[in-house]
Amino acid sequence: MSDVFASPKDVSRGLEGQSYLSNESIASVVYLAAKLGKPVLVEGPAGTGKTELAKAVASMAGARLIRLQCYEGLDESKALYEWNYKKQLLRIQAQNIAEAEGAEVTWKDIEDDIFSEEFLLERPLLQAIRSEDQVVLLIDEVDRVEIETEALLLEILSEYQVSIPELGTVTASQVPMVFLTSNNMRELSEALKRRCLFLYVDYPELEREKEIIKAKVEGVTDELADQVGRIVRTLRELDLKKHPSVSETLDWARALVLTGIATIDPETAKATLNLLLKYKSDIEKASKELTLSA
Amino acid sequence: MLDLLAGFVSQLRRSGIDISLTESLDAARAIEHMDLGDRESFKYALAATLVKDHSHSGAFDTVFDIYFASSAYDPAGDIAGELSELDADQGTQAGSASLGQDSGMNAGQGGNGQSLSPEELIEMIYKALLMDDQEWQRQLTRLAVTAFAGIEKGRPVGGVYYVFRTLRNLNLEALTERLVDARINSKKGEVSGLQAKLISDDVKAKIDAFKKEIESEVRRRLVADRGPEAMAKTLRKPLPEDIDFMHANREELASLKRAIQPLSRKLAVKLARKRRHKKRGPLDFRKTVRHSLSYGGVPAELKFKSPRASKPEIVVLADISGSVASFARFTLQMVHTLGTQFSKVRSFVFVDGVDEVTSLIDGSDDIGEAIYRVNTEADVVWVDGHSDYGHVFETFWEKWGKEITPKTSVIVLGDARNNYHASGAWALGEISRKARHLYWLDPETRSYWDTGDSIIGEYAVHCAGVFECRNLRQLEKFVEQLA
Ligand SMILES: Nc1ncnc2c1ncn2[C@@H]1O[C@H](COP(=O)(O)OP(=O)(O)OP(=O)(O)O)[C@@H](O)[C@H]1O
Ligand SMILES: [Mg+2]
């Protein structure tokens, strides 16, 4: 994909066209990833648009998004490929029946047969490698997988090829753009980090958050977006257990618009704070700091 | 450019950031694609290829400013021109040609601000901030540093000193107050507490940004004077994981506080996984048979029972006096955050008396905060508030000794500086005999051990291990092998 974007500015405009508001850091790294053909490791607090970024890049580039959602226990058979053994067993059984009826087939024939394309279950990584068209591969929440699976990912991201013993080596016809996201639950291996470009996506600055609100919340006025943005910024400065994420900000703004609120007075804020903050102690602390409880 | 990049990379390495050869080659490749005139995106290209840990980004920013601002910075910038434009735009009477000679470094000596008095300069800054005019602010930053920092060529002081001088003269607190008042007064009608808070946060954000501008301006001038190498050296800050617990300043303590929680959480995940993946348990016959039914009775998939892993029981005994207090807090915080990785954690703190604080910590939903409260709420001073390990070990053995079992790992935290009291090592010996393991973590540099009133050697004979534990890196390593 090395020539899809002309400059970081171009990336930024393209993303905006997908209602994704980037900043210079995001735009530069996406641009570079396309130029260098390197995967991007995206890290940052929850709900800051890490997953959304990969989606927006895919639709901007007109590429298909292939997503590998990671979880603990994810292994090769779910990430890469698997032989469909149920089908294979049935095939063998069918063979037994055929033989009982006098047909003559060697084991070699069966083996060739059951390890063919028809019995292969493609998982996201293999799909991405074998894809003929442009794809963006999203490996979401990579910090959840075990070290062994991480090693497998690394291998694939270095070579963009896999060898399947029964079928031979499969090489990607084009290097896909790859995004890995992480919530920093676990330290990723040095080797994986070395392989990737690193992008930290923090909570957006005030102006950008306002733009995000305006892009994503229908019917919001400039004034309301501004107020929401400012209150959220103030909350993120407080020492809370969990700060409001962008998605929570959007939920809040939507709720305010739905209830026909044009400006946020202390009463409104107090009544709706639970949309932004999830812990009771956080809500109490915030009400005090914002002097909502008169 | 490649030379500059090489210097930059080695400077980053010197501040403790690990950069491999591939990564520095990646950086070189990356900048070929970037427009060098666009300083920001150039910076992000370098950051993305060289720094893969967000907690290192502060160190990166500093070094970047030093290396790549210097070449771009033009100290003979046309301040006079800027000023006359400014005058025209803003209608102020303050500017004058005398400021035109005022180019960067010569500020200190040159006839600066003869007609623009400090008060007038501050007034202009106030207006620029009020009007949120960033360009004007940038120009004023340069004037402010020229007028107030009093930079002397070649003098090897750190930039902090000049920043401090500038800020003191600007009196930002007063400026903040004025700005807040002005903004509140400009509102019609009554201003709610909420509005006032938002206004004040907004002003604070602007003032902070202005402060940052001052810092980089000072840095730019110093780099122009002394070159990047020397500057990087004076400005080098340790990474959070390398900050010395015992000698951390306020800013460093804050960054330790930020680092400890995510670090502990990651460690917990790692330990939990390690435990789960400790081999598999014995074959689960019933489950295997049950699964074989779906393969026509062939046990195609073997099922195993999960392994039983034992979790250690931990007793922490922490000196929380003076200089070792922050070490104790961070260690306690880490151990308690890892709580579920141990079958039980009990914590005791001491100075010359000893007290259990387990419930104080566990009962709180904010461990960090609870640990900071331990100091005031635990009853740990017996006579004079100077550490008395001997008395503490004897009291502990007497009161809690019977609760130590062969499953307990006891960890003592402290510098073993006993203020020349009796060592009470016999009691530690008893504790050690009853416990599974006794470890000691000493936050002092190893070369200071057993000097002065440190009697770590005397205690060490009873310990299964004594470890130097000066920073998070060492602490993490110890805790990891413990669980
Ligand atoms: N820069 C942005 N522009 C537009 N929308 C955004 C932006 N950032 C976040 N959002 C919105 O915020 C929501 C959360 O984003 P997303 O799920 O991508 O977050 P995430 O970082 O992947 O979170 P998590 O760490 O929880 O997986 C989405 O609905 C997305 O539309
Ligand atoms: Mg996500």
Side-chain angles (χ1 to χ4, degrees):
Chain A
M1 287 205 188
S2 74
D3 38 57
V4 282
F5 313 123
S7 66
K9 290 247 158 36
D10 188 35
V11 173
S12 157
R13 272 192 297 269
L15 287 172
E16 203 175 323
Q18 305 298 323
S19 301
Y20 188 92
L21 282 305
S22 64
N23 57 16
E24 283 192 299
S25 141
I26 296 175
S28 304
V29 176
V30 170
Y31 169 75
L32 255 190
K35 282 284 175 211
L36 300 179
K38 282 175 101 40
V40 184
L41 172 61
V42 193
E43 223 172 73
T48 45
K50 301 183 290 297
T51 303
E52 189 77 8
L53 173 63
K55 295 184 187 165
V57 169
S59 45
M60 153 172 80
R64 183 157 59 97
L65 181 79
I66 296 181
R67 177 173 183 167
L68 173 63
Q69 178 61 52
C70 298
Y71 51 87
E72 229 193 303
L74 174 76
D75 60 9
E76 200 173 313
S77 68
K78 292 288 174 288
L80 190 56
Y81 73 94
E82 181 172 34
W83 290 107
N84 187 344
Y85 342 25
K86 301 222 172 88
K87 210 167 159 191
Q88 287 176 325
L89 283 175
L90 290 175
R91 172 71 184 79
I92 294 168
Q93 244 159 22
Q95 193 58 52
N96 290 341
I97 296 166
E99 266 170 23
E101 288 168 357
E104 220 173 293
V105 183
T106 64
W107 173 246
K108 175 86 175 59
D109 294 334
I110 301 177
E111 194 177 322
D112 284 348
D113 189 24
I114 63 174
F115 289 114
S116 66
E117 195 70 32
E118 194 194 337
F119 294 88
L120 185 70
L121 292 174
E122 258 188 0
R123 304 296 187 203
L125 292 179
L126 188 59
Q127 270 171 30
I129 290 177
R130 300 224 292 188
S131 163
E132 299 286 330
D133 53 345
Q134 288 280 356
V135 296
V136 168
L137 173 63
L138 165 61
I139 303 180
D140 213 5
E141 315 201 345
V142 64
D143 49 338
R144 292 176 188 270
V145 299
E146 269 78 33
I147 292 287
E148 300 79 37
T149 311
E150 193 186 311
L152 170 79
L153 292 177
L154 181 63
E155 211 179 298
I156 288 172
L157 296 181
S158 320
E159 312 282 333
Y160 293 110
Q161 65 173 38
V162 277
S163 77
I164 300 176
E166 300 85 356
L167 290 182
T169 302
V170 186
T171 310
S173 53
Q174 34 102 16
V175 173
M177 264 190 106
V178 183
F179 290 87
L180 301 98
T181 75
S182 157
N183 278 327
N184 210 3
M185 289 279 293
R186 180 175 65 81
E187 200 67 70
L188 299 169
S189 73
E190 289 303 317
L192 182 71
K193 290 202 237 172
R194 270 204 296 275
R195 180 81 200 111
C196 297
L197 298 175
F198 183 78
L199 173 64
Y200 189 84
V201 181
D202 212 336
Y203 296 119
E205 322 75 69
L206 179 63
E207 285 311 316
R208 186 157 74 95
E209 190 146 31
K210 270 158 57 177
E211 294 305 317
I212 297 174
I213 297 171
K214 285 195 275 185
K216 293 268 160 141
V217 181
E218 218 171 303
V220 74
T221 59
D222 280 2
E223 192 197 342
L224 189 63
D226 183 65
Q227 283 186 318
V228 167
R230 283 175 197 278
I231 292 180
V232 167
R233 173 174 70 175
T234 288
L235 290 175
R236 291 200 189 119
E237 287 293 315
L238 301 178
D239 189 10
L240 301 178
K241 269 195 216 154
K242 189 182 171 308
H243 289 130
S245 66
V246 177
S247 17
E248 282 149 355
T249 308
L250 293 175
D251 288 344
W252 192 42
R254 279 190 197 110
L256 293 172
V257 170
L258 276 179
T259 42
I261 285 163
T263 51
I264 306 170
D265 54 28
E267 290 71 42
T268 319
K270 191 168 169 53
T272 53
L273 215 49
N274 60 340
L275 287 173
L276 280 176
L277 301 172
K278 300 301 167 205
Y279 290 92
K280 203 163 148 255
S281 58
D282 282 354
I283 293 179
E284 279 161 14
K285 199 182 237 171
S287 309
K288 206 169 96 208
E289 292 286 336
L290 296 179
T291 59
L292 299 182
S293 31
Chain B
M1 180 43 93
L2 285 181
D3 283 348
L4 196 57
L5 185 64
F8 177 64
V9 167
S10 67
Q11 208 47 255
L12 287 176
R13 289 199 179 116
R14 243 167 276 162
S15 27
I17 300 176
D18 230 355
I19 295 171
S20 67
L21 183 62
T22 12
E23 284 166 318
S24 66
L25 293 176
D26 282 344
R29 270 210 309 144
I31 57 178
E32 282 173 21
H33 294 285
M34 305 311 280
D35 170 8
L36 297 187
D38 182 353
R39 187 167 173 270
E40 288 293 294
S41 60
F42 173 66
K43 171 174 170 178
Y44 295 123
L46 289 180
T49 43
L50 296 173
V51 183
K52 311 287 170 83
D53 182 336
H54 180 58
S55 73
H56 295 169
S57 65
F60 173 87
D61 287 348
T62 307
V63 179
F64 181 85
D65 261 8
I66 292 169
Y67 268 76
F68 294 102
S70 58
S71 47
Y73 179 58
D74 167 21
D78 189 6
I79 298 183
E82 285 168 6
L83 228 114
S84 52
E85 266 171 48
L86 244 157
D87 284 347
D89 285 1
Q90 316 295 346
T92 39
Q93 300 301 311
S96 88
S98 74
L99 271 152
Q101 289 135 24
D102 208 53
S103 62
M105 285 305 306
N106 303 326
Q109 300 96 290
N112 67 316
Q114 258 135 21
S115 51
L116 187 62
S117 70
E119 290 75 26
E120 284 167 322
L121 181 53
I122 291 176
E123 199 52 34
M124 282 172 88
I125 291 173
Y126 166 74
K127 283 198 184 130
L129 284 165
L130 191 62
M131 291 159 66
D132 202 12
D133 183 334
Q134 319 244 327
E135 187 48 38
W136 193 14
Q137 281 171 36
R138 266 228 320 285
Q139 293 161 356
L140 289 170
T141 314
R142 297 165 81 174
L143 292 180
V145 171
T146 303
F148 295 134
I151 293 179
E152 291 166 53
K153 243 189 158 118
R155 206 178 141 200
V157 294
V160 185
Y161 170 71
Y162 294 129
V163 172
F164 175 75
R165 271 236 296 241
T166 312
L167 295 182
R168 194 189 48 199
N169 280 304
L170 285 173
N171 194 356
L172 292 183
E173 286 76 30
L175 212 51
T176 308
E177 226 168 277
R178 276 183 70 197
L179 285 166
V180 171
D181 287 347
R183 298 250 315 251
I184 288 182
N185 290 334
S186 74
K187 292 246 172 207
K188 287 182 259 337
E190 210 191 316
V191 174
S192 68
L194 174 62
Q195 277 172 311
K197 169 77 178 160
L198 294 180
I199 288 174
S200 117
D201 276 4
D202 196 48
V203 170
K204 271 189 213 131
K206 299 229 159 74
I207 294 274
D208 277 348
F210 186 68
K211 253 192 212 166
K212 286 235 168 66
E213 279 290 328
I214 300 259
E215 280 171 22
S216 9
E217 180 61 25
V218 166
R219 204 174 284 159
R220 271 197 286 274
R221 294 193 191 194
L222 292 181
V223 172
D225 180 27
R226 290 189 230 157
E229 292 269 333
M231 265 315 279
K233 203 166 154 197
T234 43
L235 283 179
R236 192 141 60 224
K237 291 184 199 138
L239 303 177
E241 59 267 38
D242 290 323
I243 293 172
D244 197 320
F245 293 129
M246 290 186 66
H247 305 109
N249 59 33
R250 233 190 30 214
E251 187 192 339
E252 289 173 337
L253 279 179
S255 83
L256 273 174
K257 260 178 98 168
R258 274 195 303 276
I260 184 104
Q261 203 60 26
L263 186 74
S264 311
R265 198 194 56 211
K266 275 191 236 172
L267 189 55
V269 173
K270 188 165 170 188
L271 294 175
R273 291 204 170 152
K274 212 165 91 188
R275 179 161 292 113
R276 227 167 301 140
H277 292 281
K278 249 189 210 157
K279 291 189 292 191
R280 53 190 174 199
L283 185 71
D284 186 334
F285 192 67
R286 278 180 48 185
K287 223 172 167 185
T288 306
V289 170
R290 192 154 5 98
H291 264 263
S292 75
L293 294 180
S294 48
Y295 303 115
V298 182
E301 252 182 272
L302 298 182
K303 295 286 172 185
F304 296 88
K305 290 181 177 157
S306 47
R308 212 181 300 276
S310 71
K311 293 178 173 181
E313 215 175 281
I314 305 286
V315 166
V316 184
L317 198 53
D319 183 354
I320 56 166
S321 67
S323 59
V324 294
S326 44
F327 162 61
R329 286 178 200 154
F330 289 120
T331 307
L332 282 171
Q333 188 171 349
M334 181 176 282
V335 171
H336 276 266
T337 306
L338 290 177
T340 51
Q341 298 310 309
F342 306 114
S343 69
K344 200 180 197 184
V345 179
R346 293 180 70 181
S347 295
F348 298 82
V349 295
F350 64 87
V351 177
D352 54 354
V354 54
D355 192 9
E356 175 159 13
V357 291
T358 312
S359 58
L360 190 67
I361 299 174
D362 287 345
S364 151
D365 56 11
D366 185 344
I367 292 181
E369 175 136 354
I371 295 200
Y372 280 79
R373 258 187 14 233
V374 159
N375 249 354
T376 48
E377 295 181 21
D379 183 15
V380 291
V381 174
W382 176 53
V383 186
D384 58 358
H386 292 296
S387 296
D388 182 346
Y389 286 77
H391 178 254
V392 166
F393 292 145
E394 285 168 22
T395 317
F396 181 82
W397 174 241
E398 216 170 276
K399 267 175 110 168
W400 290 286
K402 50 192 169 307
E403 293 167 41
I404 304 282
T405 74
K407 280 198 201 134
T408 323
S409 292
V410 179
I411 307 164
V412 181
L413 313 178
D415 57 5
R417 296 208 169 267
N418 204 26
N419 297 294
Y420 305 103
H421 294 295
S423 79
W426 68 268
L428 196 65
E430 294 296 331
I431 297 170
S432 168
R433 257 184 296 286
K434 256 194 109 177
R436 176 160 90 158
H437 293 299
L438 171 65
Y439 300 109
W440 191 301
L441 306 185
D442 190 329
E444 277 196 325
T445 311
R446 201 174 275 272
S447 56
Y448 292 150
W449 293 7
D450 291 312
T451 63
D453 60 342
S454 161
I455 51 168
I456 185 81
E458 202 171 322
Y459 294 130
V461 295
H462 299 293
C463 300
V466 181
F467 303 91
E468 179 189 270
C469 200
R470 287 183 305 137
N471 51 39
L472 282 180
R473 215 189 273 278
Q474 290 175 327
L475 177 60
E476 188 189 3
K477 205 166 136 212
F478 170 79
V479 175
E480 189 177 340
Q481 61 89 33
L482 183 70

